[in-house]
Amino acid sequence: MRLVLVRHGETDWNRDRRIQGSTDIPLNETGRRQAREGAERLSSVEWAGIVSSPLSRARETAEIIALELGLGSPIIVDEIVERHHGDLEGLTFAERQSRFPDETDVSGLESREAVVDRVRPALVALADRFGADDEVLVVTHGGVISTLVRAAFAEELPPGGTMITNLSAHDFRVADGALVLEKFRPGPPVDLATERVESTAR
């Protein structure tokens, strides 16, 4: 089963480069437009369903995509919520560097290991709800995606400073009870079906 993890659309805090974490910040109009445009690029694949984090920015992104693609209502999975950032939430990246330069004393900051421990089993468990050959969209968060990518590549990817853009899409698969990364795309959404055909032809 393939899972395509999609980062939600833009919020005002994304625009202002503020750390959101588990703070429930809604999409802005740019984010809603990104979701509609992302749905168009994702339309070349036959999706078996769509899953979302409970936070409104992810849930609304999933709802827009589901409506555009004629999918059912998103399945809400609490465990794929964004990484909790504690006292960092609401700060700009510059403020974070000033107040917490090494992040060692941040109250409430969830470790990357804890993120993997809650997210990976929840994604693997989706194999019980869908078929082995199904493709499922999962709308989640940049911190979740980057943490899973780091875990898959022993912290080598993504390189420092790499931004996982809104509506970027990343291919994972569930195989033998494990979550495996197939394709990391930090940039904007692409036509997945076309990309896969071209990749196979090389």
Side-chain angles (χ1 to χ4, degrees), residues 93-199:
F93 288 96
E95 289 168 342
R96 178 189 68 181
Q97 288 300 106
S98 174
R99 299 185 196 182
F100 303 99
D102 56 8
E103 292 192 351
T104 55
D105 297 316
V106 180
S107 176
L109 178 63
E110 186 179 16
S111 71
R112 290 193 180 274
E113 292 79 7
V115 174
V116 172
D117 287 346
R118 66 173 166 82
V119 173
R120 189 158 53 190
L123 294 178
V124 170
L126 292 174
D128 295 331
R129 305 186 69 154
F130 295 96
D133 296 324
D134 283 344
E135 300 208 45
V136 179
L137 281 169
V138 179
V139 182
T140 184
H141 305 271
V144 168
I145 294 168
S146 67
T147 299
L148 291 174
V149 171
R150 287 171 184 267
F153 280 94
E155 305 295 322
E156 295 178 9
L157 285 175
T162 299
M163 292 296 294
I164 297 176
T165 58
N166 297 109
L167 269 293
S168 59
H170 313 270
D171 289 3
F172 289 77
R173 61 184 168 86
V174 176
D176 299 323
L179 186 68
V180 181
L181 175 64
E182 289 189 329
K183 183 74 174 182
F184 170 58
R185 307 180 192 86
V190 297
D191 184 318
L192 298 186
T194 300
E195 180 200 67
R196 290 170 187 170
V197 169
E198 290 175 347
S199 178

